[in-house]
Coordinates of all heavy atoms in Angstrom, one line a residue:
G1 N 0.8 -1.2 0.0 CA 0.0 0.0 0.0 C 0.8 1.3 0.0 O 0.3 2.4 0.2
V2 N 2.1 1.2 -0.2 CA 3.0 2.3 -0.2 C 4.1 2.1 -1.3 O 4.3 1.0 -1.7 CB 3.7 2.6 1.1 CG1 2.7 2.9 2.2 CG2 4.5 1.4 1.6
D3 N 4.8 3.2 -1.7 CA 5.9 3.1 -2.6 C 7.0 2.3 -2.1 O 7.3 2.4 -0.9 CB 6.4 4.6 -2.9 CG 7.5 4.5 -3.9 OD1 7.4 4.0 -5.0 OD2 8.6 5.0 -3.6
S4 N 7.5 1.4 -2.9 CA 8.5 0.5 -2.4 C 9.8 0.5 -3.2 O 10.7 -0.3 -3.1 CB 8.0 -1.0 -2.4 OG 6.9 -1.1 -1.6
A5 N 10.0 1.6 -3.9 CA 11.2 1.7 -4.8 C 12.5 1.7 -3.9 O 13.5 1.1 -4.3 CB 11.1 3.0 -5.6
Y6 N 12.5 2.5 -2.8 CA 13.7 2.5 -2.0 C 14.0 1.2 -1.4 O 15.2 0.7 -1.4 CB 13.5 3.6 -0.8 CG 14.7 3.5 0.1 CD1 15.9 4.2 -0.3 CD2 14.7 2.9 1.3 CE1 17.0 4.1 0.6 CE2 15.8 2.8 2.2 CZ 16.9 3.5 1.8 OH 18.0 3.4 2.6
S7 N 13.0 0.5 -0.9 CA 13.2 -0.9 -0.3 C 13.8 -1.8 -1.3 O 14.7 -2.6 -1.0 CB 11.9 -1.4 0.3 OG 11.5 -0.6 1.4
I8 N 13.2 -1.8 -2.5 CA 13.7 -2.8 -3.5 C 15.1 -2.4 -3.9 O 16.0 -3.3 -4.0 CB 12.8 -2.7 -4.8 CG1 11.4 -3.4 -4.4 CG2 13.4 -3.3 -6.0 CD1 10.4 -3.4 -5.5
S9 N 15.4 -1.1 -4.0 CA 16.8 -0.7 -4.3 C 17.8 -1.1 -3.2 O 18.9 -1.6 -3.5 CB 16.8 0.8 -4.5 OG 18.1 1.2 -4.7
A10 N 17.4 -1.0 -2.0 CA 18.2 -1.4 -0.8 C 18.5 -2.9 -0.8 O 19.6 -3.4 -0.6 CB 17.6 -0.9 0.5
L11 N 17.4 -3.7 -1.1 CA 17.6 -5.1 -1.1 C 18.4 -5.6 -2.3 O 19.2 -6.6 -2.2 CB 16.2 -5.8 -1.2 CG 15.3 -5.6 0.1 CD1 13.9 -6.1 -0.2 CD2 15.9 -6.3 1.3
L12 N 18.4 -4.9 -3.4 CA 19.2 -5.2 -4.6 C 20.7 -4.9 -4.2 O 21.6 -5.7 -4.5 CB 18.9 -4.4 -5.8 CG 17.6 -4.8 -6.6 CD1 17.1 -3.7 -7.5 CD2 17.9 -6.1 -7.3
N13 N 20.9 -3.8 -3.5 CA 22.3 -3.4 -3.1 C 22.9 -4.4 -2.1 O 24.1 -4.7 -2.1 CB 22.3 -2.0 -2.5 CG 22.2 -0.9 -3.6 OD1 22.5 -1.2 -4.8 ND2 21.7 0.2 -3.2
K14 N 22.0 -4.9 -1.3 CA 22.5 -5.9 -0.3 C 22.5 -7.3 -0.8 O 22.8 -8.3 -0.1 CB 21.5 -5.9 1.0 CG 21.6 -4.6 1.7 CD 20.6 -4.5 2.8 CE 20.8 -3.1 3.5 NZ 19.7 -2.8 4.4
K15 N 22.2 -7.5 -2.1 CA 22.2 -8.7 -2.8 C 21.3 -9.8 -2.2 O 21.6 -11.0 -2.3 CB 23.6 -9.2 -3.0 CG 24.5 -8.3 -3.8 CD 25.9 -8.9 -4.0 CE 26.8 -8.0 -4.8 NZ 26.5 -6.8 -5.4
L16 N 20.2 -9.4 -1.6 CA 19.2 -10.3 -1.1 C 18.2 -10.6 -2.1 O 17.5 -11.7 -2.1 CB 18.5 -9.7 0.2 CG 19.5 -9.5 1.4 CD1 18.8 -8.8 2.5 CD2 20.0 -10.9 1.8
I17 N 18.0 -9.7 -3.1 CA 17.1 -10.0 -4.3 C 17.9 -9.7 -5.5 O 18.9 -9.0 -5.5 CB 15.8 -9.2 -4.2 CG1 16.1 -7.7 -4.3 CG2 15.0 -9.6 -3.0 CD1 14.8 -6.9 -4.5
E18 N 17.4 -10.2 -6.7 CA 18.0 -9.9 -8.0 C 16.9 -9.8 -9.0 O 15.8 -10.3 -8.8 CB 19.0 -11.0 -8.3 CG 18.3 -12.3 -8.5 CD 19.3 -13.5 -8.7 OE1 20.6 -13.2 -8.7 OE2 18.9 -14.6 -8.9
E19 N 17.2 -9.2 -10.2 CA 16.3 -9.2 -11.3 C 16.1 -10.6 -11.8 O 17.0 -11.4 -11.9 CB 16.8 -8.2 -12.4 CG 16.7 -6.8 -11.9 CD 17.1 -5.8 -13.1 OE1 17.2 -6.2 -14.2 OE2 17.3 -4.6 -12.7
A20 N 14.8 -10.9 -12.2 CA 14.5 -12.2 -12.7 C 13.8 -12.1 -14.0 O 12.9 -12.8 -14.3 CB 13.6 -13.0 -11.7
G21 N 14.2 -11.2 -14.9 CA 13.6 -11.0 -16.2 C 12.5 -10.0 -16.1 O 12.3 -9.2 -15.1
R22 N 11.7 -9.9 -17.2 CA 10.6 -8.9 -17.3 C 9.3 -9.6 -17.5 O 9.3 -10.7 -18.2 CB 10.9 -7.9 -18.4 CG 12.1 -7.0 -18.0 CD 12.3 -5.9 -19.0 NE 13.3 -5.0 -18.6 CZ 13.1 -3.9 -18.0 NH1 11.9 -3.5 -17.6 NH2 14.1 -3.1 -17.6
L23 N 8.3 -9.1 -17.0 CA 6.9 -9.6 -17.2 C 6.5 -9.3 -18.6 O 6.7 -8.2 -19.1 CB 6.0 -9.1 -16.1 CG 4.6 -9.7 -15.9 CD1 4.8 -11.2 -15.6 CD2 3.9 -9.0 -14.8
N24 N 5.8 -10.2 -19.2 CA 5.4 -10.0 -20.6 C 4.0 -9.4 -20.7 O 3.0 -10.0 -21.1 CB 5.4 -11.4 -21.4 CG 5.3 -11.2 -22.9 OD1 5.6 -10.1 -23.4 ND2 5.0 -12.3 -23.6
V25 N 4.0 -8.1 -20.2 CA 2.8 -7.3 -20.3 C 3.2 -5.9 -20.7 O 4.4 -5.6 -20.7 CB 2.0 -7.2 -18.9 CG1 1.6 -8.6 -18.5 CG2 2.9 -6.6 -17.8
P26 N 2.3 -5.0 -21.1 CA 2.7 -3.7 -21.5 C 3.5 -3.0 -20.4 O 3.2 -3.1 -19.2 CB 1.3 -3.0 -21.7 CG 0.4 -4.0 -22.0 CD 0.8 -5.2 -21.2
G27 N 4.6 -2.4 -20.8 CA 5.5 -1.7 -19.9 C 6.6 -2.6 -19.5 O 7.7 -2.2 -19.0
R28 N 6.5 -3.9 -19.7 CA 7.5 -4.9 -19.4 C 8.2 -4.7 -18.0 O 9.4 -4.5 -18.0 CB 8.5 -5.1 -20.5 CG 7.8 -5.3 -21.8 CD 8.3 -6.3 -22.8 NE 9.5 -7.0 -22.6 CZ 9.6 -8.2 -22.3 NH1 8.6 -9.0 -22.1 NH2 10.8 -8.8 -22.2
P29 N 7.4 -4.7 -16.9 CA 8.1 -4.4 -15.6 C 9.1 -5.5 -15.2 O 8.9 -6.7 -15.5 CB 6.9 -4.4 -14.6 CG 5.8 -5.3 -15.3 CD 6.0 -5.0 -16.8
I30 N 10.1 -5.1 -14.4 CA 11.1 -6.0 -14.0 C 10.5 -6.9 -12.9 O 9.8 -6.4 -12.0 CB 12.3 -5.2 -13.4 CG1 12.9 -4.4 -14.5 CG2 13.3 -6.1 -12.7 CD1 14.0 -3.4 -13.9
Q31 N 10.9 -8.2 -12.9 CA 10.5 -9.1 -11.9 C 11.7 -9.4 -11.0 O 12.8 -9.3 -11.4 CB 10.0 -10.5 -12.5 CG 8.8 -10.3 -13.3 CD 8.4 -11.7 -13.9 OE1 9.2 -12.3 -14.6 NE2 7.2 -12.1 -13.6
Y32 N 11.4 -9.6 -9.7 CA 12.5 -9.8 -8.7 C 12.3 -11.2 -8.0 O 11.2 -11.7 -7.9 CB 12.5 -8.7 -7.6 CG 12.7 -7.3 -8.2 CD1 11.6 -6.5 -8.5 CD2 14.0 -6.9 -8.5 CE1 11.8 -5.3 -9.1 CE2 14.2 -5.6 -9.1 CZ 13.1 -4.8 -9.4 OH 13.3 -3.6 -9.9
R33 N 13.4 -11.8 -7.6 CA 13.4 -13.0 -6.9 C 14.5 -12.9 -5.8 O 15.4 -12.1 -5.9 CB 13.7 -14.2 -7.8 CG 15.0 -14.2 -8.4 CD 15.2 -15.5 -9.3 NE 16.5 -15.3 -10.0 CZ 16.7 -15.6 -11.3 NH1 15.7 -16.1 -12.0 NH2 17.8 -15.5 -11.9
T34 N 14.5 -13.8 -4.9 CA 15.5 -13.9 -3.8 C 16.8 -14.5 -4.4 O 16.8 -15.2 -5.4 CB 15.0 -14.6 -2.6 OG1 14.6 -16.0 -3.0 CG2 13.9 -13.9 -1.9
T35 N 17.9 -14.3 -3.7 CA 19.2 -14.9 -4.1 C 19.7 -15.9 -3.2 O 19.1 -16.2 -2.1 CB 20.3 -13.7 -4.2 OG1 20.4 -13.2 -2.8 CG2 19.8 -12.6 -5.1
A36 N 20.8 -16.5 -3.5 CA 21.5 -17.5 -2.6 C 21.9 -16.7 -1.4 O 22.0 -17.3 -0.3 CB 22.7 -18.1 -3.3
D37 N 22.3 -15.5 -1.5 CA 22.7 -14.7 -0.3 C 21.5 -14.6 0.7 O 21.6 -14.6 1.9 CB 23.1 -13.3 -0.6 CG 24.5 -13.2 -1.2 OD1 25.2 -14.3 -1.1 OD2 24.9 -12.2 -1.7
F38 N 20.3 -14.5 0.2 CA 19.1 -14.5 1.0 C 19.0 -15.8 1.8 O 18.8 -15.8 3.0 CB 17.8 -14.3 0.1 CG 16.5 -14.6 0.8 CD1 15.9 -13.7 1.7 CD2 15.9 -15.8 0.6 CE1 14.7 -14.0 2.3 CE2 14.7 -16.2 1.2 CZ 14.1 -15.3 2.1
L39 N 19.1 -16.9 1.1 CA 19.1 -18.2 1.7 C 20.1 -18.3 2.8 O 19.8 -18.7 3.9 CB 19.2 -19.3 0.7 CG 18.1 -19.5 -0.3 CD1 18.5 -20.6 -1.3 CD2 16.8 -19.8 0.3
R40 N 21.4 -17.9 2.5 CA 22.5 -18.0 3.4 C 22.2 -17.1 4.7 O 22.4 -17.5 5.8 CB 23.8 -17.6 2.7 CG 25.0 -18.2 3.2 CD 26.2 -17.9 2.4 NE 26.2 -16.9 1.4 CZ 26.0 -17.2 0.1 NH1 25.9 -18.4 -0.3 NH2 26.0 -16.2 -0.8
T41 N 21.7 -15.8 4.4 CA 21.5 -14.9 5.5 C 20.5 -15.4 6.5 O 20.6 -15.2 7.7 CB 21.1 -13.5 4.9 OG1 22.1 -13.0 4.0 CG2 20.8 -12.5 6.0
F42 N 19.4 -16.1 5.9 CA 18.4 -16.5 6.8 C 18.5 -18.0 7.2 O 17.6 -18.6 7.8 CB 17.0 -16.2 6.2 CG 16.7 -14.7 6.1 CD1 17.0 -14.0 5.0 CD2 16.1 -14.1 7.3 CE1 16.8 -12.6 5.0 CE2 15.9 -12.8 7.3 CZ 16.2 -12.0 6.2
G43 N 19.6 -18.6 6.8 CA 19.9 -20.0 7.2 C 19.0 -21.0 6.6 O 18.6 -22.0 7.3
L44 N 18.6 -20.8 5.4 CA 17.7 -21.7 4.7 C 18.4 -22.5 3.6 O 19.3 -22.0 3.0 CB 16.5 -20.9 4.0 CG 15.7 -19.9 4.9 CD1 14.8 -19.0 4.0 CD2 14.9 -20.8 5.8
S45 N 18.0 -23.7 3.4 CA 18.6 -24.6 2.3 C 17.9 -24.3 1.0 O 18.5 -24.3 0.0 CB 18.4 -26.0 2.6 OG 19.1 -26.4 3.8
S46 N 16.6 -24.0 1.1 CA 15.8 -23.7 -0.1 C 14.6 -22.9 0.3 O 14.3 -22.8 1.5 CB 15.4 -25.0 -0.9 OG 14.4 -25.7 -0.1
L47 N 13.8 -22.4 -0.7 CA 12.6 -21.6 -0.4 C 11.6 -22.5 0.3 O 10.7 -22.0 1.0 CB 12.1 -21.0 -1.7 CG 13.0 -19.9 -2.3 CD1 12.4 -19.5 -3.6 CD2 13.1 -18.7 -1.3
E48 N 11.6 -23.8 0.1 CA 10.7 -24.7 0.7 C 10.8 -24.7 2.3 O 9.9 -25.1 3.0 CB 10.8 -26.1 0.3 CG 10.3 -26.4 -1.1 CD 11.2 -25.9 -2.2 OE1 12.5 -26.0 -2.1 OE2 10.7 -25.3 -3.2

């Protein structure tokens, strides 16, 4: 419910998320996914 540009930028800089391509809709927005650093930081083996 609020602008999240700063948070996404900060998470990209911390390498917790990364770009995962673009959505195939008008404007082709960037999609984001978590990284291996995210898993390591939170002590997870996988997203499951």
Side-chain angles (χ1 to χ4, degrees):
V2 296
D3 179 57
S4 299
Y6 175 79
S7 294
I8 288 175
S9 176
L11 294 170
L12 284 166
N13 287 336
K14 293 174 182 170
K15 298 186 181 352
L16 295 174
I17 63 171
E18 64 187 2
E19 291 185 10
R22 292 188 173 265
L23 194 58
N24 196 14
V25 297
R28 308 227 347 115
I30 298 170
Q31 295 180 302
Y32 300 98
R33 66 177 172 222
T34 56
T35 63
D37 284 348
F38 165 79
L39 295 175
R40 208 173 11 261
T41 299
F42 290 93
L44 303 170
S45 296
S46 69
L47 293 173
E48 285 78 38

